[in-house]
Amino acid sequence: MRIVIQRATEASVTIDNQVKAKINTGLMILLGIEDQDNTEDIEWLTNKVVNLRIFDDEDGVMNKSILDVKGDILLISQFTLHASTKKGNRPSYIKAAKPDIAIPLYKEFITTLESKLGKQIGTGEFGADMKVKLINDGPVTICIDTKNKE
């Protein structure tokens, strides 16, 4: 599992010209799932997300988590995070999980993250053509891959 986390002052996702979800202060997360991912990856990654200290404290130091600031999360599925560009100029997405594997893991990721955050999160729609808007605060952008835990 691979994510790109962006600290946001606002973010939204639009599908078919309709805003599906919108957040203010919080995190906009792009999530890529590959075939080998499992529940252990979800548990580890959601713990990392809710405890990552990337929000400023009173002294302007990144020392607070999404839980501390009571922020929101917008989660977007994005298989292109697993693009391989080693050969040629057309990315290969062979590592990205097919929908029969990815959709259940995506749904479990949402449920687990909501449980740890203590509230609902905004989401896109798996496989949809989405337009994502973001005001990245900082900018702060962090990439995490469960295959690089150690």
Side-chain angles (χ1 to χ4, degrees):
M1 237 168 239
R2 187 173 291 165
I3 61 173
V4 175
I5 299 173
Q6 294 180 296
R7 189 176 73 181
T9 55
E10 62 182 76
S12 65
V13 58
T14 301
I15 302 169
D16 294 329
N17 296 316
Q18 298 288 322
V19 175
K20 179 162 186 319
K22 182 178 180 179
I23 66 165
N24 290 312
T25 300
L27 302 173
M28 201 283 292
I29 302 173
L30 304 174
L31 170 67
I33 300 169
E34 58 183 20
D35 288 335
Q36 299 82 12
D37 292 332
N38 58 43
T39 302
E40 289 176 16
D41 293 308
I42 292 170
E43 188 64 27
W44 183 84
L45 198 49
T46 55
N47 276 333
K48 186 64 80 172
V49 166
V50 297
N51 292 299
L52 198 61
R53 298 183 314 174
I54 59 173
F55 290 91
D56 292 348
D57 64 14
E58 298 74 22
D59 296 321
V61 177
M62 286 195 284
N63 205 26
K64 289 189 173 189
S65 71
I66 189 80
L67 294 171
D68 296 328
V69 299
K70 297 178 177 39
D72 295 318
I73 292 178
L74 176 61
L75 179 72
I76 307 295
S77 63
Q78 188 169 359
F79 75 93
T80 61
L81 291 180
H82 289 289
S84 173
T85 57
K86 287 184 180 181
K87 291 173 37 178
N89 292 318
R90 180 179 300 157
S92 168
Y93 304 107
I94 197 159
K95 285 189 170 185
K98 305 293 181 265
D100 60 319
I101 293 171
I103 291 172
L105 289 172
Y106 174 66
K107 289 179 179 178
E108 185 177 349
F109 193 96
I110 293 166
T111 302
T112 304
L113 192 54
E114 287 178 337
S115 173
K116 292 178 182 187
L117 191 62
K119 62 181 175 179
Q120 284 190 317
I121 65 171
T123 65
E125 183 180 312
F126 191 92
D129 179 23
M130 298 176 273
K131 307 301 180 212
V132 179
K133 289 184 181 179
L134 163 77
I135 297 180
N136 188 322
D137 183 24
V140 174
T141 302
I142 297 173
C143 302
I144 303 173
D145 192 319
T146 59
K147 303 306 182 255
N148 298 320
K149 291 180 199 172
E150 293 151 33

